[in-house]
């Protein structure tokens, strides 16, 4: 038996609660069993746990789009007992039982070998949010390399700066030598954001309202986890030949924008998908995170909770009350 959060949808309504589960109940559609050490709470987990959005596609469901742990049984030739592994995405926690549990059974081709220099806890302190931030940064780096843009030659905007993606993106970009401007709705966190490497902080209200199709050129690049008017305004103020990496929808799924920045300034909009990203790109992102992410800053943006605390934390993250990353000790 092991403990897990389980989402059900009885006639009385949507529920998520702790349950004891027999290992024999784990999904048969998997060839690797993992003893989970750590998981995390992302924005999508918040939606799944609270039912605020139809993230979960079948019931009952164990939420949690991330986990890190050790293989206990494998019918997949890639993995053996004792291997340290991590998982992000692939519909886990949505259509396949996820990581907010002490055990998981998944397809071996979904797993990434945990880099030797990372602990399971550090991997989940990074989680899908940090992994997505690295995918965004790497997309911008490839774009800048093609355009001959050097670090420090212009400002890079990070929206949703206090969230998991934003916090890690600031640290990564500043570590690469870029001048980072953080956009947030919590200006009281200015010193925190500057401690991660932000050169300056702006109020999200500067970007969140409807704006002109073309605005004053400012950013050489943008990491956006907000969407809607914020993304539209970010695109409208990118410098000629710059780029935006979009990965989130905290403000909304709509994009009330004009084609003007793309056809008059040659701006590129990169859509960043972490859920089904090809394995070589996943491995490259995790290798880069293990080598470059400042561990002290990672510790500073991380708060640890137990599995029992995950339901309450889900509401907090949707309300924008969580700074940085939440890591879940599933055995606490």
């Amino acid at each position: 038996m092991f403990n897990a959060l389980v989402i059900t949808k009885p006639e009385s309504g949507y529920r998520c609660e702790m349950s004891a589960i027999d290992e024999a109940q784990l999904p048969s559609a998997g060839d690797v069993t993992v003893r989970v050490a750590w998981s995390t709470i992302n924005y999508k987990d918040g939606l799944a746990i609270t039912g605020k959005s139809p993230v979960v596609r079948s019931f009952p469901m164990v939420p949690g789009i991330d986990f890190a742990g050790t293989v206990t049984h494998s019918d997949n030739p890639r993995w053996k007992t004792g291997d340290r592994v991590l998982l992000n995405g692939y519909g886990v926690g949505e259509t396949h039982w996820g990581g907010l549990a002490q055990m998981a059974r998944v397809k071996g081709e979904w797993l990434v070998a945990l880099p030797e220099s990372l602990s399971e806890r550090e991997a989940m302190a990074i989680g899908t949010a940090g992994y997505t931030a690295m995918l965004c940064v790497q997309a911008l780096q490839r774009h800048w390399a093609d355009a001959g843009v050097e670090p420090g030659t212009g400002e890079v905007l990070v929206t949703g700066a206090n969230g998991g993606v934003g916090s890690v993106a600031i640290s990564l970009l500043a570590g690469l030598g870029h001048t980072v401007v953080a956009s947030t709705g919590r200006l009281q966190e200015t010193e925190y954001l500057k401690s991660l490497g932000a050169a300056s902080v702006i109020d999200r209200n500067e970007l969140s309202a409807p704006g002109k199709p073309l605005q004053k050129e400012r950013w050489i690049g943008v990491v956006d986890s907000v969407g809607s008017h914020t993304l539209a305004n970010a695109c409208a103020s990118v410098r000629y030949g710059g780029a935006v990496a979009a990965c989130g929808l905290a403000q909304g799924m709509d994009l009330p924008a004009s084609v003007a920045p793309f056809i008059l300034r040659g701006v590129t909009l990169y859509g960043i998908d972490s859920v089904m990203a090809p394995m070589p790109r996943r491995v490259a992102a995790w290798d880069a995170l293990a080598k470059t992410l400042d561990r002290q800053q990672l510790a500073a943006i991380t708060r640890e909770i137990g599995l029992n605390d995950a339901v309450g934390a889900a509401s907090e993250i949707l309300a924008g009350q969580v700074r940085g990353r939440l890591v879940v000790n599933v055995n606490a």
Side-chain angles (χ1 to χ4, degrees):
M1 301 294 289
F2 64 92
N3 291 327
L5 287 186
V6 179
I7 298 171
T8 56
K9 197 176 181 181
E11 291 184 4
S12 57
Y14 197 94
R15 299 175 64 184
C16 182
E17 56 192 358
M18 185 81 79
S19 297
I21 297 176
D22 192 297
E23 190 172 332
Q25 295 176 259
L26 284 168
S28 58
D31 53 10
V32 179
T33 304
V34 178
R35 183 173 299 283
V36 179
W38 296 88
S39 186
T40 180
I41 301 285
N42 295 286
Y43 192 84
K44 184 181 284 187
D45 297 314
L47 293 173
I49 291 170
T50 61
K52 293 291 179 64
S53 183
V55 169
V56 176
R57 307 301 174 85
S58 62
F59 300 90
M61 178 59 59
V62 174
I65 64 174
D66 294 329
F67 65 75
T70 304
V71 173
T72 60
H73 178 81
S74 176
D75 293 319
N76 186 298
R78 289 185 60 206
W79 308 107
K80 64 182 186 302
T81 300
D83 285 344
R84 297 193 315 144
V85 295
L86 62 88
L87 184 145
N88 312 106
Y90 285 114
V92 170
E94 302 173 67
T95 60
H96 186 100
W97 282 16
L100 286 169
Q102 293 172 324
M103 299 291 295
R105 182 176 295 138
V106 296
K107 295 181 180 180
E109 58 263 33
W110 296 346
L111 295 168
V112 173
L114 188 66
E116 289 186 7
S117 63
L118 285 178
S119 68
E120 288 92 341
R121 187 186 188 280
E122 288 173 326
M124 288 299 97
I126 297 168
T128 282
Y131 149 66
T132 303
M134 178 56 85
L135 291 176
C136 290
V137 170
Q138 289 180 324
L140 293 178
Q141 285 182 295
R142 290 190 295 270
H143 182 91
W144 290 328
D146 289 342
V149 175
E150 298 292 331
T153 56
E155 295 177 311
V156 182
L157 173 68
V158 175
T159 68
N162 272 296
V165 172
S167 295
V168 176
I170 291 168
S171 177
L172 291 170
L173 288 163
L176 291 167
H178 292 284
T179 302
V180 182
V181 176
S183 169
T184 181
R186 288 179 278 170
L187 291 177
Q188 68 272 22
E189 300 283 11
T190 293
E191 291 308 311
Y192 159 74
L193 295 171
K194 288 186 174 180
S195 75
L196 297 180
S200 59
V201 179
I202 62 173
D203 193 313
R204 70 180 177 194
N205 290 329
E206 293 185 29
L207 298 166
S208 61
K212 296 180 180 179
L214 277 180
Q215 300 171 28
K216 183 179 179 181
E217 296 181 56
R218 182 169 183 182
W219 323 112
I220 61 169
V222 178
V223 173
D224 176 67
S225 60
V226 178
S228 192
H229 291 291
T230 296
L231 176 56
N233 287 319
C235 291
S237 51
V238 170
R239 284 166 44 176
Y240 189 93
V244 178
C247 66
L249 44 71
Q251 186 180 5
M253 290 185 66
D254 59 322
L255 181 56
S258 161
V259 298
F262 312 113
I263 63 175
L264 298 180
R265 290 183 181 165
V267 172
T268 300
L269 176 59
Y270 291 101
I272 305 301
D273 166 51
S274 63
V275 177
M276 301 303 293
M279 186 55 67
R281 190 156 287 182
R282 291 171 181 267
V283 172
W286 277 103
D287 285 348
L289 285 162
K291 292 173 183 174
T292 62
L293 186 58
D294 187 300
R295 302 300 172 82
Q296 289 185 327
Q297 289 185 348
L298 179 63
I301 69 175
T302 302
R303 174 162 64 96
E304 180 182 322
I305 62 174
L307 193 57
N308 276 315
D309 305 314
V311 173
S315 297
E316 290 178 16
I317 202 166
L318 294 186
Q321 298 170 346
V322 173
R323 181 176 81 176
R325 300 285 298 125
L326 287 173
V327 63
V328 181
N329 182 350
V330 299
N331 297 301

